[in-house]
Amino acid sequence: MPEVLVVTDTEAGSTFLTQQREVHAPVAAFSPGFDSPYREVSPNTNASSYFFVIHGLHQTVMFKDKYVFAQLVQFLDRNKFNRLSAKYQGDRYVKSFTCWNQLLVMMFGQLSKSESLRDLIIALEVHWSKLYHLGMGKSVTRSNLAKANEGRDYRIFEEYPYHLVAAARSKSTEKVFGFTGHVYAFDSTTIDLCLEVFQWAKFRKHKGGIKVHTLYDIESQVPAFFHITVAATSDIKVMPEIPYEKGRITSSTVGTTTSPISTR
């Protein structure tokens, strides 16, 4: 008599349970036409579960493919990053923890919403055996990451995002408003910093922070310009730093009041 296999789809990955053991595999493996020892019995779409019959299953099925993070990294232009790293000598005298490794570690910290280096390293230690396959190398430690963040040329990590932004904006050229120039929204957000560590970032009596001023391309839905200042700096003082662009239309906000559309 065949066994009944229950398939439940979750965000972390699909988990398949049999009466005897756990089986891990992608949902696509059980789609019609897939050459496997499974035969679909009946789907239960309301419960997001599927029931299958196993015929002669003797081994655990494991899904072997690149991790989701590694698939995201594939979209990055590695050659451009290597040229920037060579331009600013980011990997000079470096044997293990390269600028590329540093970039991927910091990306992982952003995606995992890590609030400190310690928080980030703890999250990575859970997946220690996978770090090499994720492209982060084998030398990811808090001391290596702290030294890299402190000592390496920031221009590597400033110019590379602008290269990615330009590539993303070039993929979306649809005109929504019908103007000849681009339409932007200009706003900022404050990032809190520990005042005991970043004394230079003080903007209130017991609070420190920086402000990220962002020019957002509304039509391509991609940020086009970033400028980081101390948190006390207003958007009005930063607007002269925005690169000149003929026919540009910018909408900015002061508090909760939107200023009139302005052109340059």
Side-chain angles (χ1 to χ4, degrees), residues 18-71:
T18 68
Q19 293 177 351
Q20 281 108 4
R21 59 186 173 276
E22 245 182 66
V23 182
H24 297 278
V27 172
F30 302 94
S31 60
F34 185 83
D35 185 16
S36 73
Y38 306 102
R39 178 172 61 84
E40 184 175 347
V41 177
S42 62
N44 182 353
T45 54
N46 293 332
S48 186
S49 298
Y50 296 84
F51 300 91
F52 295 85
V53 174
I54 305 177
H55 296 280
L57 178 63
H58 301 291
Q59 295 181 351
T60 301
V61 178
M62 297 297 293
F63 176 51
K64 295 183 179 180
D65 201 350
K66 289 187 176 181
Y67 296 105
V68 174
F69 183 83
Q71 294 179 48

Short mmCIF file of all heavy atoms in Angstrom, two decimals, residues 18-71:
data_model
loop_
_atom_site.label_atom_id
_atom_site.label_comp_id
_atom_site.label_asym_id
_atom_site.label_seq_id
_atom_site.Cartn_x
_atom_site.Cartn_y
_atom_site.Cartn_z
N THR A 18 6.34 12.64 5.42
CA THR A 18 5.71 11.35 5.22
C THR A 18 5.44 10.74 6.59
O THR A 18 5.77 11.32 7.61
CB THR A 18 6.63 10.40 4.42
OG1 THR A 18 7.75 10.08 5.24
CG2 THR A 18 7.08 11.04 3.14
N GLN A 19 4.89 9.58 6.59
CA GLN A 19 4.61 8.92 7.85
C GLN A 19 5.90 8.45 8.53
O GLN A 19 5.95 8.30 9.73
CB GLN A 19 3.68 7.73 7.62
CG GLN A 19 2.29 8.14 7.17
CD GLN A 19 1.43 6.95 6.87
OE1 GLN A 19 1.89 5.83 6.84
NE2 GLN A 19 0.14 7.20 6.66
N GLN A 20 6.95 8.18 7.72
CA GLN A 20 8.18 7.67 8.30
C GLN A 20 9.28 8.70 8.48
O GLN A 20 10.07 8.61 9.38
CB GLN A 20 8.74 6.53 7.43
CG GLN A 20 8.00 5.22 7.66
CD GLN A 20 7.14 4.88 6.49
OE1 GLN A 20 7.16 5.57 5.51
NE2 GLN A 20 6.37 3.81 6.61
N ARG A 21 9.37 9.68 7.59
CA ARG A 21 10.53 10.58 7.63
C ARG A 21 10.21 11.92 6.98
O ARG A 21 9.19 12.07 6.33
CB ARG A 21 11.70 9.93 6.89
CG ARG A 21 11.40 9.61 5.44
CD ARG A 21 12.54 8.84 4.81
NE ARG A 21 12.20 8.39 3.49
CZ ARG A 21 11.53 7.28 3.24
NH1 ARG A 21 11.12 6.54 4.25
NH2 ARG A 21 11.26 6.93 2.01
N GLU A 22 11.14 12.87 7.13
CA GLU A 22 11.01 14.18 6.51
C GLU A 22 11.65 14.15 5.13
O GLU A 22 12.72 13.57 4.94
CB GLU A 22 11.70 15.23 7.35
CG GLU A 22 10.74 16.24 7.92
CD GLU A 22 11.45 17.30 8.72
OE1 GLU A 22 12.21 18.07 8.10
OE2 GLU A 22 11.26 17.33 9.92
N VAL A 23 11.03 14.81 4.18
CA VAL A 23 11.57 14.90 2.83
C VAL A 23 11.53 16.36 2.42
O VAL A 23 10.51 17.02 2.57
CB VAL A 23 10.73 14.06 1.84
CG1 VAL A 23 11.33 14.13 0.44
CG2 VAL A 23 10.66 12.61 2.31
N HIS A 24 12.64 16.90 1.92
CA HIS A 24 12.70 18.29 1.50
C HIS A 24 12.85 18.34 -0.02
O HIS A 24 13.73 17.72 -0.59
CB HIS A 24 13.88 19.01 2.15
CG HIS A 24 13.77 19.07 3.64
ND1 HIS A 24 13.00 20.00 4.30
CD2 HIS A 24 14.32 18.29 4.59
CE1 HIS A 24 13.09 19.79 5.60
NE2 HIS A 24 13.89 18.76 5.79
N ALA A 25 11.97 19.11 -0.67
CA ALA A 25 12.01 19.23 -2.12
C ALA A 25 11.17 20.42 -2.52
O ALA A 25 10.35 20.89 -1.76
CB ALA A 25 11.49 17.95 -2.78
N PRO A 26 11.39 20.97 -3.75
CA PRO A 26 10.60 22.12 -4.20
C PRO A 26 9.20 21.70 -4.63
O PRO A 26 8.98 20.56 -5.05
CB PRO A 26 11.41 22.64 -5.39
CG PRO A 26 12.07 21.42 -5.93
CD PRO A 26 12.40 20.58 -4.73
N VAL A 27 8.27 22.65 -4.53
CA VAL A 27 6.91 22.36 -4.98
C VAL A 27 6.90 22.00 -6.45
O VAL A 27 6.12 21.15 -6.89
CB VAL A 27 6.01 23.58 -4.72
CG1 VAL A 27 4.63 23.38 -5.35
CG2 VAL A 27 5.84 23.81 -3.23
N ALA A 28 7.79 22.64 -7.25
CA ALA A 28 7.82 22.37 -8.69
C ALA A 28 8.12 20.92 -8.99
O ALA A 28 7.78 20.41 -10.05
CB ALA A 28 8.87 23.27 -9.35
N ALA A 29 8.77 20.23 -8.05
CA ALA A 29 9.11 18.83 -8.27
C ALA A 29 7.87 17.96 -8.38
O ALA A 29 7.93 16.86 -8.92
CB ALA A 29 10.01 18.32 -7.15
N PHE A 30 6.76 18.46 -7.88
CA PHE A 30 5.54 17.66 -7.88
C PHE A 30 4.51 18.18 -8.88
O PHE A 30 3.34 17.85 -8.82
CB PHE A 30 4.93 17.64 -6.48
CG PHE A 30 5.88 17.09 -5.45
CD1 PHE A 30 6.67 17.96 -4.73
CD2 PHE A 30 5.98 15.74 -5.23
CE1 PHE A 30 7.55 17.47 -3.78
CE2 PHE A 30 6.86 15.25 -4.28
CZ PHE A 30 7.65 16.11 -3.55
N SER A 31 4.97 19.02 -9.79
CA SER A 31 4.06 19.55 -10.79
C SER A 31 3.82 18.50 -11.87
O SER A 31 4.61 17.59 -12.06
CB SER A 31 4.65 20.81 -11.42
OG SER A 31 5.89 20.53 -12.03
N PRO A 32 2.72 18.60 -12.62
CA PRO A 32 2.42 17.64 -13.68
C PRO A 32 3.55 17.59 -14.71
O PRO A 32 4.09 18.61 -15.09
CB PRO A 32 1.12 18.17 -14.29
CG PRO A 32 0.50 18.97 -13.19
CD PRO A 32 1.65 19.57 -12.43
N GLY A 33 3.91 16.41 -15.11
CA GLY A 33 4.96 16.25 -16.10
C GLY A 33 6.33 16.07 -15.53
O GLY A 33 7.28 15.78 -16.24
N PHE A 34 6.49 16.28 -14.21
CA PHE A 34 7.80 16.13 -13.59
C PHE A 34 8.14 14.65 -13.46
O PHE A 34 7.34 13.85 -12.99
CB PHE A 34 7.81 16.79 -12.21
CG PHE A 34 9.17 16.78 -11.56
CD1 PHE A 34 10.09 17.76 -11.88
CD2 PHE A 34 9.51 15.79 -10.65
CE1 PHE A 34 11.33 17.76 -11.29
CE2 PHE A 34 10.75 15.80 -10.06
CZ PHE A 34 11.67 16.77 -10.37
N ASP A 35 9.32 14.27 -13.93
CA ASP A 35 9.72 12.88 -13.92
C ASP A 35 10.20 12.49 -12.54
O ASP A 35 11.34 12.74 -12.16
CB ASP A 35 10.83 12.66 -14.95
CG ASP A 35 11.20 11.18 -15.08
OD1 ASP A 35 10.42 10.34 -14.61
OD2 ASP A 35 12.28 10.90 -15.64
N SER A 36 9.33 11.93 -11.73
CA SER A 36 9.66 11.58 -10.36
C SER A 36 8.83 10.38 -9.94
O SER A 36 7.90 9.98 -10.63
CB SER A 36 9.36 12.76 -9.43
OG SER A 36 7.96 12.89 -9.28
N PRO A 37 9.17 9.77 -8.80
CA PRO A 37 8.41 8.62 -8.35
C PRO A 37 7.09 8.99 -7.68
O PRO A 37 6.48 8.18 -7.01
CB PRO A 37 9.36 7.97 -7.34
CG PRO A 37 10.13 9.11 -6.79
CD PRO A 37 10.33 10.03 -7.96
N TYR A 38 6.63 10.27 -7.85
CA TYR A 38 5.42 10.72 -7.18
C TYR A 38 4.26 10.79 -8.18
O TYR A 38 4.45 11.09 -9.35
CB TYR A 38 5.63 12.11 -6.57
CG TYR A 38 6.81 12.19 -5.64
CD1 TYR A 38 7.99 12.77 -6.07
CD2 TYR A 38 6.74 11.68 -4.35
CE1 TYR A 38 9.09 12.84 -5.23
CE2 TYR A 38 7.83 11.75 -3.51
CZ TYR A 38 9.00 12.32 -3.96
OH TYR A 38 10.08 12.39 -3.12
N ARG A 39 3.09 10.55 -7.71
CA ARG A 39 1.89 10.72 -8.53
C ARG A 39 0.89 11.54 -7.73
O ARG A 39 0.59 11.23 -6.58
CB ARG A 39 1.28 9.35 -8.87
CG ARG A 39 -0.02 9.47 -9.68
CD ARG A 39 -0.47 8.10 -10.17
NE ARG A 39 -0.74 7.20 -9.06
CZ ARG A 39 -1.91 7.17 -8.40
NH1 ARG A 39 -2.87 8.01 -8.73
NH2 ARG A 39 -2.10 6.31 -7.41
N GLU A 40 0.40 12.63 -8.33
CA GLU A 40 -0.52 13.52 -7.62
C GLU A 40 -1.85 12.82 -7.41
O GLU A 40 -2.41 12.20 -8.30
CB GLU A 40 -0.73 14.80 -8.42
CG GLU A 40 -1.61 15.80 -7.68
CD GLU A 40 -1.70 17.12 -8.43
OE1 GLU A 40 -0.91 17.34 -9.36
OE2 GLU A 40 -2.57 17.91 -8.07
N VAL A 41 -2.39 12.96 -6.18
CA VAL A 41 -3.70 12.39 -5.85
C VAL A 41 -4.75 13.47 -5.88
O VAL A 41 -5.72 13.41 -6.64
CB VAL A 41 -3.65 11.70 -4.47
CG1 VAL A 41 -5.04 11.19 -4.11
CG2 VAL A 41 -2.65 10.56 -4.50
N SER A 42 -4.59 14.51 -5.05
CA SER A 42 -5.59 15.58 -5.04
C SER A 42 -5.01 16.81 -4.37
O SER A 42 -4.35 16.71 -3.35
CB SER A 42 -6.84 15.14 -4.28
OG SER A 42 -6.52 14.85 -2.94
N PRO A 43 -5.20 18.00 -4.94
CA PRO A 43 -4.74 19.23 -4.31
C PRO A 43 -5.79 19.82 -3.39
O PRO A 43 -6.98 19.72 -3.66
CB PRO A 43 -4.49 20.16 -5.51
CG PRO A 43 -5.49 19.71 -6.51
CD PRO A 43 -5.70 18.23 -6.31
N ASN A 44 -5.32 20.42 -2.32
CA ASN A 44 -6.21 21.15 -1.41
C ASN A 44 -5.73 22.58 -1.38
O ASN A 44 -4.90 22.96 -0.58
CB ASN A 44 -6.15 20.52 -0.01
CG ASN A 44 -7.11 21.21 0.95
OD1 ASN A 44 -7.71 22.21 0.60
ND2 ASN A 44 -7.25 20.67 2.14
N THR A 45 -6.22 23.42 -2.31
CA THR A 45 -5.70 24.76 -2.48
C THR A 45 -6.01 25.66 -1.31
O THR A 45 -5.27 26.59 -1.01
CB THR A 45 -6.28 25.39 -3.76
OG1 THR A 45 -7.70 25.32 -3.69
CG2 THR A 45 -5.80 24.63 -4.98
N ASN A 46 -7.10 25.43 -0.60
CA ASN A 46 -7.45 26.28 0.54
C ASN A 46 -6.43 26.17 1.66
O ASN A 46 -6.11 27.13 2.34
CB ASN A 46 -8.84 25.92 1.06
CG ASN A 46 -9.92 26.25 0.06
OD1 ASN A 46 -9.75 27.17 -0.74
ND2 ASN A 46 -11.01 25.50 0.07
N ALA A 47 -5.93 24.97 1.86
CA ALA A 47 -4.97 24.75 2.94
C ALA A 47 -3.55 24.87 2.45
O ALA A 47 -2.61 24.67 3.20
CB ALA A 47 -5.17 23.36 3.55
N SER A 48 -3.35 25.22 1.17
CA SER A 48 -2.03 25.32 0.57
C SER A 48 -1.25 24.02 0.75
O SER A 48 -0.06 24.02 1.01
CB SER A 48 -1.24 26.50 1.17
OG SER A 48 -0.02 26.67 0.48
N SER A 49 -1.94 22.88 0.68
CA SER A 49 -1.31 21.58 0.83
C SER A 49 -1.65 20.70 -0.35
O SER A 49 -2.68 20.88 -1.01
CB SER A 49 -1.77 20.90 2.12
OG SER A 49 -1.41 21.67 3.24
N TYR A 50 -0.79 19.74 -0.62
CA TYR A 50 -0.99 18.83 -1.71
C TYR A 50 -0.73 17.41 -1.23
O TYR A 50 0.16 17.17 -0.42
CB TYR A 50 -0.08 19.15 -2.89
CG TYR A 50 -0.36 20.49 -3.49
CD1 TYR A 50 0.21 21.65 -2.95
CD2 TYR A 50 -1.20 20.63 -4.58
CE1 TYR A 50 -0.06 22.89 -3.48
CE2 TYR A 50 -1.46 21.87 -5.14
CZ TYR A 50 -0.90 23.00 -4.58
OH TYR A 50 -1.16 24.22 -5.11
N PHE A 51 -1.49 16.47 -1.73
CA PHE A 51 -1.35 15.08 -1.32
C PHE A 51 -0.83 14.26 -2.50
O PHE A 51 -1.33 14.37 -3.62
CB PHE A 51 -2.69 14.53 -0.84
CG PHE A 51 -3.25 15.29 0.32
CD1 PHE A 51 -4.10 16.37 0.11
CD2 PHE A 51 -2.91 14.94 1.62
CE1 PHE A 51 -4.60 17.08 1.18
CE2 PHE A 51 -3.42 15.65 2.68
CZ PHE A 51 -4.26 16.72 2.48
N PHE A 52 0.20 13.48 -2.23
CA PHE A 52 0.82 12.68 -3.28
C PHE A 52 0.95 11.24 -2.82
O PHE A 52 0.91 10.94 -1.63
CB PHE A 52 2.22 13.21 -3.64
CG PHE A 52 2.19 14.57 -4.23
CD1 PHE A 52 2.16 15.70 -3.42
CD2 PHE A 52 2.21 14.74 -5.59
CE1 PHE A 52 2.12 16.96 -3.96
CE2 PHE A 52 2.19 16.01 -6.14
CZ PHE A 52 2.14 17.12 -5.32
N VAL A 53 1.12 10.36 -3.77
CA VAL A 53 1.37 8.96 -3.47
C VAL A 53 2.81 8.63 -3.85
O VAL A 53 3.27 8.98 -4.93
CB VAL A 53 0.41 8.04 -4.25
CG1 VAL A 53 0.77 6.58 -4.03
CG2 VAL A 53 -1.02 8.30 -3.80
N ILE A 54 3.51 7.99 -2.93
CA ILE A 54 4.91 7.62 -3.17
C ILE A 54 4.95 6.19 -3.66
O ILE A 54 4.37 5.30 -3.05
CB ILE A 54 5.74 7.75 -1.89
CG1 ILE A 54 5.59 9.15 -1.33
CG2 ILE A 54 7.18 7.42 -2.15
CD1 ILE A 54 6.31 9.35 -0.04
N HIS A 55 5.65 5.97 -4.75
CA HIS A 55 5.82 4.63 -5.29
C HIS A 55 7.29 4.25 -5.20
O HIS A 55 8.13 4.78 -5.93
CB HIS A 55 5.35 4.57 -6.75
CG HIS A 55 3.89 4.83 -6.90
ND1 HIS A 55 2.93 3.89 -6.66
CD2 HIS A 55 3.23 5.97 -7.24
CE1 HIS A 55 1.73 4.41 -6.88
NE2 HIS A 55 1.89 5.67 -7.24
N GLY A 56 7.64 3.37 -4.30
CA GLY A 56 9.00 2.85 -4.22
C GLY A 56 10.02 3.88 -3.81
O GLY A 56 11.11 3.93 -4.37
N LEU A 57 9.69 4.77 -2.85
CA LEU A 57 10.66 5.76 -2.38
C LEU A 57 11.56 5.12 -1.32
O LEU A 57 11.08 4.66 -0.30
CB LEU A 57 9.93 6.97 -1.78
CG LEU A 57 10.83 8.07 -1.21
CD1 LEU A 57 11.68 8.66 -2.31
CD2 LEU A 57 9.99 9.15 -0.55
N HIS A 58 12.86 5.08 -1.60
CA HIS A 58 13.79 4.46 -0.68
C HIS A 58 14.80 5.45 -0.11
O HIS A 58 15.48 5.17 0.87
CB HIS A 58 14.56 3.32 -1.37
CG HIS A 58 13.66 2.24 -1.91
ND1 HIS A 58 12.96 1.39 -1.09
CD2 HIS A 58 13.35 1.90 -3.18
CE1 HIS A 58 12.24 0.56 -1.83
NE2 HIS A 58 12.46 0.85 -3.11
N GLN A 59 14.93 6.65 -0.72
CA GLN A 59 15.91 7.62 -0.26
C GLN A 59 15.23 8.96 -0.04
O GLN A 59 14.20 9.26 -0.64
CB GLN A 59 17.04 7.78 -1.29
CG GLN A 59 17.86 6.51 -1.47
CD GLN A 59 18.97 6.75 -2.48
OE1 GLN A 59 19.02 7.78 -3.13
NE2 GLN A 59 19.87 5.79 -2.59
N THR A 60 15.84 9.77 0.83
CA THR A 60 15.33 11.12 1.08
C THR A 60 15.59 12.00 -0.14
O THR A 60 16.68 12.00 -0.70
CB THR A 60 16.03 11.73 2.30
OG1 THR A 60 15.79 10.90 3.42
CG2 THR A 60 15.50 13.13 2.58
N VAL A 61 14.56 12.74 -0.56
CA VAL A 61 14.68 13.63 -1.71
C VAL A 61 15.19 14.98 -1.23
O VAL A 61 14.59 15.60 -0.36
CB VAL A 61 13.32 13.80 -2.41
CG1 VAL A 61 13.45 14.77 -3.58
CG2 VAL A 61 12.80 12.46 -2.87
N MET A 62 16.29 15.45 -1.78
CA MET A 62 16.87 16.74 -1.41
C MET A 62 16.91 17.64 -2.64
O MET A 62 17.31 17.20 -3.72
CB MET A 62 18.28 16.56 -0.86
CG MET A 62 18.34 15.74 0.41
SD MET A 62 17.47 16.50 1.79
CE MET A 62 18.48 17.94 2.08
N PHE A 63 16.50 18.88 -2.47
CA PHE A 63 16.52 19.86 -3.56
C PHE A 63 17.89 20.51 -3.61
O PHE A 63 18.32 21.13 -2.65
CB PHE A 63 15.44 20.91 -3.32
CG PHE A 63 15.45 22.00 -4.35
CD1 PHE A 63 15.44 21.71 -5.70
CD2 PHE A 63 15.46 23.33 -3.96
CE1 PHE A 63 15.44 22.71 -6.64
CE2 PHE A 63 15.46 24.34 -4.90
CZ PHE A 63 15.45 24.02 -6.24
N LYS A 64 18.59 20.35 -4.74
CA LYS A 64 19.94 20.89 -4.87
C LYS A 64 19.93 22.01 -5.91
O LYS A 64 19.81 21.75 -7.10
CB LYS A 64 20.92 19.79 -5.27
CG LYS A 64 21.08 18.71 -4.21
CD LYS A 64 22.11 17.67 -4.62
CE LYS A 64 22.28 16.62 -3.52
NZ LYS A 64 23.27 15.60 -3.89
N ASP A 65 20.06 23.21 -5.46
CA ASP A 65 20.10 24.36 -6.34
C ASP A 65 20.76 25.50 -5.58
O ASP A 65 21.04 25.38 -4.38
CB ASP A 65 18.70 24.76 -6.79
CG ASP A 65 18.72 25.58 -8.07
OD1 ASP A 65 19.82 25.99 -8.48
OD2 ASP A 65 17.66 25.82 -8.65
N LYS A 66 21.01 26.63 -6.24
CA LYS A 66 21.62 27.76 -5.57
C LYS A 66 20.68 28.36 -4.55
O LYS A 66 19.46 28.37 -4.74
CB LYS A 66 22.01 28.83 -6.60
CG LYS A 66 23.18 28.43 -7.48
CD LYS A 66 23.62 29.58 -8.36
CE LYS A 66 24.84 29.21 -9.17
NZ LYS A 66 25.31 30.33 -10.02
N TYR A 67 21.24 28.88 -3.46
CA TYR A 67 20.44 29.53 -2.44
C TYR A 67 19.83 30.82 -3.03
O TYR A 67 20.34 31.39 -3.99
CB TYR A 67 21.29 29.88 -1.22
CG TYR A 67 21.83 28.67 -0.51
CD1 TYR A 67 23.17 28.31 -0.62
CD2 TYR A 67 21.00 27.87 0.28
CE1 TYR A 67 23.69 27.19 0.02
CE2 TYR A 67 21.50 26.75 0.92
CZ TYR A 67 22.83 26.41 0.78
OH TYR A 67 23.33 25.30 1.41
N VAL A 68 18.73 31.26 -2.43
CA VAL A 68 18.04 32.46 -2.93
C VAL A 68 18.97 33.66 -2.92
O VAL A 68 19.02 34.45 -3.87
CB VAL A 68 16.78 32.74 -2.08
CG1 VAL A 68 16.14 34.06 -2.51
CG2 VAL A 68 15.77 31.61 -2.22
N PHE A 69 19.77 33.80 -1.86
CA PHE A 69 20.71 34.93 -1.79
C PHE A 69 21.72 34.86 -2.93
O PHE A 69 22.03 35.88 -3.56
CB PHE A 69 21.45 34.91 -0.45
CG PHE A 69 22.38 36.07 -0.25
CD1 PHE A 69 21.91 37.29 0.19
CD2 PHE A 69 23.74 35.94 -0.50
CE1 PHE A 69 22.77 38.36 0.36
CE2 PHE A 69 24.60 37.00 -0.32
CZ PHE A 69 24.12 38.21 0.11
N ALA A 70 22.23 33.67 -3.23
CA ALA A 70 23.19 33.51 -4.32
C ALA A 70 22.54 33.83 -5.66
O ALA A 70 23.20 34.38 -6.57
CB ALA A 70 23.74 32.09 -4.33
N GLN A 71 21.26 33.53 -5.81
CA GLN A 71 20.56 33.85 -7.05
C GLN A 71 20.40 35.37 -7.20
O GLN A 71 20.47 35.90 -8.31
CB GLN A 71 19.19 33.16 -7.06
CG GLN A 71 19.29 31.64 -7.13
CD GLN A 71 17.92 30.98 -7.11
OE1 GLN A 71 17.03 31.38 -7.84
NE2 GLN A 71 17.74 29.99 -6.26
#
